Amino acid sequence: MRQLDLFPSPHPLTPPHSEEDVLNWPRLLRSRRVGVSTFFRLLKEHGTAKAALDALPEVARAAGVDSYKICPLPVVEQELRAGRKAGATLVAFGSPAYPAALAEIPDPPPLLWAVGDTALLKRPQVAVVGARNASSLGLRMARRLAAELGEKGQVVVSGLARGIDTAAHQATLETGTVAVPASGADV
């Protein structure tokens, strides 16, 4: 897994380890004007999400934003409750369960919700995606391709949409499939 080295820092980037960290990572990420790049930059500069949250109002003031409000703790607590109620596990960048290939992209998501067997995230993966309104030939081809990939040890990754995505998932339920829906784990 690559280390985000865009910004030199004496602080190594580590995933959340304490309950406080588990609350502060999403709080930082959900705070106004904090996207993925800013999230990682703040962690690098301040060492922890707590320290970054403490510095955030002054960072905002220096950028010309007055009356800055950090994401309220109840908002994050509700998100965590909803995720857990859905049977999901929070997977943080840098944790053993975080997909290595995903960590290599520019601006990887700091947090993912995972439902099911997170060990699948460590196996070789291939994406199979396609049209929602696929032809019957397209659906048959997607099922066959996905099944053969699964038999060869590949975990099929798709978006869980109807059509090609669904056919690929259904064909690899026994060998391993990962759905990456655009909605939250509780939807």
Side-chain angles (χ1 to χ4, degrees):
M1 180 178 312
R2 78 180 170 112
Q3 287 294 314
L4 294 173
D5 55 4
L6 301 173
F7 308 98
S9 170
H11 307 290
L13 181 62
T14 59
H17 295 293
S18 69
E19 188 61 33
E20 181 183 34
D21 287 342
V22 170
L23 291 169
N24 286 333
W25 268 50
R27 257 188 104 195
L28 179 59
L29 188 61
R30 304 290 183 254
S31 290
R32 197 173 104 203
R33 293 188 166 193
V34 176
V36 172
S37 293
T38 302
F39 173 88
F40 283 118
R41 181 179 55 82
L42 288 168
L43 277 185
K44 286 282 196 175
E45 289 174 358
H46 300 283
T48 66
K50 170 75 170 109
L53 285 166
D54 290 343
L56 200 49
E58 183 53 39
V59 169
R61 232 182 329 279
V65 179
D66 294 325
S67 310
Y68 187 83
K69 300 284 189 228
I70 293 169
C71 177
L73 185 58
V75 169
V76 170
E77 290 171 333
Q78 174 55 35
E79 179 182 349
L80 295 175
R81 273 193 304 276
R84 290 179 182 135
K85 184 177 178 184
T89 302
L90 195 59
V91 178
F93 180 89
S95 71
Y98 197 92
L102 188 58
E104 296 295 324
I105 68 169
D107 297 329
L111 298 167
L112 305 171
W113 282 106
V115 177
D117 183 4
T118 58
L120 291 172
L121 301 174
K122 292 302 194 193
R123 290 185 30 208
Q125 301 170 9
V126 61
V128 177
V129 296
R132 290 178 183 213
N133 295 318
S135 66
S136 60
L137 175 61
L139 294 172
R140 284 193 311 273
M141 288 178 66
R143 278 192 286 274
R144 183 172 177 188
L145 176 63
E148 289 178 10
L149 288 165
E151 289 167 7
K152 299 223 182 289
Q154 296 287 316
V155 173
V156 170
V157 179
S158 197
L160 204 60
R162 71 176 183 265
I164 298 296
D165 294 24
T166 298
H169 287 305
Q170 288 172 334
T172 54
L173 286 172
E174 296 299 317
T175 57
T177 187
V178 172
V180 184
S183 65
D186 59 337
V187 177

